Amino acid sequence: MLSRVSVVLLLASTASAISLRGRAWQRRGVYGRGRTDMPSVAEVSAAVGVPAPWEAPRWVWSGAWKVHKRVLPHLHSWDRAAPADTCVNLVVVWLKAIAGNRRGEGTADGGAAYAMLPHFTRRVVAWPLCYLYPRLHHANVALRTAYLDQQVERELSAAGQRPTRVVVLGAGFDTRALRLGAAHASASWAEVDLPDVIAQKKRLLARASRRRPQLAAAGLPSFHAANLSDAGAARSALREAVRAGGGDARGRRVLYVCEALLIYLPEPQAAALLRSAVEEAAGAGAGAVTFAFADKLPAMREGRGYSPGPPEELPGTPRRAAGGAGAAGPAPSSAFADAAAELRKAGLALEEETWQPKPGLARHMGVARRL
């Protein structure tokens, strides 16, 4: 992690190596009327209630990402926990630490992500140094983090004293169980991820718990190891996770949380995982099954595959092709309608009022419930 000045200097020194043609100068998070599936980043920021990322050209975002990846090994040179950057888990926890240390922006996390970082080098993202970093990747991640936090809080508050099992799919180094667990005593938490990632996370959580004992006051989540692209292994881990170590989930609400996982799975495996999650919870006798996500749903088209219309028409129903009823080819539909259709295949009904697309890879956000 480098200061704003250092980042700018590094970007300037490497700019000649970056192609400046085509999309390179396009401002990230700003779309024309041809992208009816995607609101601007400013609109998403206003809806979620956190500051918007900088609408910088794409080459700036790309350069900043490369700088971060290049510096990352040096930040962990003397780290006894020796975490790996599996599916950018390590990059993301640094980004969340920057956002989490910035006060007054609605992204503070009580120091949870910061507590997981190495002792000495983490100081480069401490308060107030965290304000030196331009609102690029950490601000984009903060959008989805804030959105999911709000939806999880809403679900747990609505559950009241009824027991809820929160299962975080592909949790990585997520801190949601630490941050939200203490406020909801009736909720228990489980995380499913790769065996190596879980082993690394346990070391990071041990470090965070020593530094901030209050984070672990409500207890740590249970961990269930599986490669989620393997259908059989995924089902087995999901079965263990929803049953809370034995018995069944009868009468219990099951809330799945999925943040930037499906983007790493082939579409058939992503669709199979959604079906398995619903079926395993239902098979365990769950009274209600909810799926809160900030991810990329399988089988979704890009914006130019949708019928034209202003951004306010995003949540909608299938529309006819421009040529009318007799037009050749399938009628284009809204992004919401396609997302709802995809989730329906898994036995889930997407709530229209929760649907919130956003720029980035994890571009679909919403809440769906078992049909």
Side-chain angles (χ1 to χ4, degrees):
M1 308 299 293
L2 300 174
S3 70
R4 183 191 299 263
V5 173
S6 299
V7 169
V8 170
L9 288 175
L10 275 169
L11 290 175
S13 68
T14 58
S16 61
I18 301 173
S19 171
L20 301 182
R21 293 178 291 177
R23 284 158 43 97
W25 281 100
Q26 178 186 342
R27 289 188 300 155
R28 195 169 186 269
V30 179
Y31 299 93
R33 292 181 64 85
R35 285 298 302 271
T36 60
D37 66 326
M38 192 63 63
S40 71
V41 72
E43 292 172 303
V44 179
S45 169
V48 175
V50 297
W54 179 22
E55 294 174 355
R58 287 179 176 270
W59 70 267
V60 174
W61 284 78
S62 175
W65 184 261
K66 291 174 182 177
V67 168
H68 191 168
K69 292 283 285 184
R70 188 170 300 174
V71 172
L72 193 63
H74 303 289
L75 295 171
H76 290 271
S77 293
W78 303 280
D79 187 358
R80 293 181 180 178
D85 192 30
T86 307
C87 297
V88 303
N89 281 334
L90 201 53
V91 170
V92 169
V93 77
W94 281 91
L95 297 175
K96 290 189 174 185
I98 295 174
N101 284 344
R102 293 170 74 118
R103 303 171 186 173
E105 296 187 354
T107 59
D109 67 352
Y114 185 67
M116 298 173 77
L117 300 180
H119 173 68
F120 180 74
T121 55
R122 69 178 182 148
R123 296 178 186 178
V124 299
V125 297
W127 185 92
L129 296 181
C130 55
Y131 289 99
L132 294 175
Y133 300 91
R135 286 198 182 100
L136 292 170
H137 296 284
H138 78 265
N140 192 44
V141 170
L143 287 176
R144 74 186 194 212
T145 301
Y147 173 87
L148 279 177
D149 282 355
Q150 292 165 13
Q151 299 305 323
V152 171
E153 286 274 20
R154 184 186 71 154
E155 292 298 318
L156 295 181
S157 296
Q161 297 304 310
R162 289 172 291 177
T164 301
R165 184 67 165 169
V166 184
V167 181
V168 186
L169 303 175
F173 300 152
D174 177 67
T175 62
R176 199 163 277 115
L178 302 182
R179 295 184 288 107
L180 306 183
H184 300 280
S186 61
S188 60
W189 294 71
E191 296 186 356
V192 184
D193 213 324
L194 294 166
D196 289 349
V197 173
I198 289 176
Q200 295 160 25
K201 184 168 187 178
K202 286 180 177 179
R203 296 195 293 270
L204 297 184
L205 288 177
R207 178 158 65 193
S209 299
R210 288 194 302 269
R211 290 170 173 169
R212 293 179 177 268
Q214 69 275 19
L215 289 175
L220 298 178
S222 63
F223 297 99
H224 308 272
N227 179 348
L228 290 174
S229 65
D230 181 321
R235 272 198 179 271
S236 178
L238 290 168
R239 187 173 301 123
E240 292 178 4
V242 298
R243 292 175 185 268
D248 57 31
R250 200 163 306 281
R252 179 185 290 121
R253 298 158 65 96
V254 173
L255 168 60
Y256 288 109
V257 181
C258 191
E259 180 178 0
L261 163 67
L262 304 180
I263 58 177
Y264 297 106
L265 301 182
E267 287 193 347
Q269 283 88 330
L273 177 62
L274 296 181
R275 290 193 300 271
S276 296
V278 175
E279 289 168 4
E280 288 302 327
V289 183
T290 305
F291 179 64
F293 60 93
D295 217 315
K296 186 177 186 298
L297 296 175
M300 293 286 289
R301 295 173 287 167
E302 292 299 319
R304 301 189 194 284
Y306 295 96
S307 47
E312 57 266 22
E313 292 184 20
L314 273 169
T317 54
R319 289 174 268 181
R320 293 182 182 275
S333 66
S334 73
F336 169 80
D338 278 12
E342 189 62 28
L343 289 168
R344 197 174 299 117
K345 297 175 186 176
L348 293 164
L350 177 59
E351 292 186 341
E352 185 168 348
E353 63 271 20
T354 68
W355 174 246
Q356 180 60 72
K358 79 165 193 64
L361 290 177
R363 65 192 60 176
H364 305 131
M365 303 195 298
V367 174
R369 302 184 190 281
R370 182 188 171 203
L371 290 166

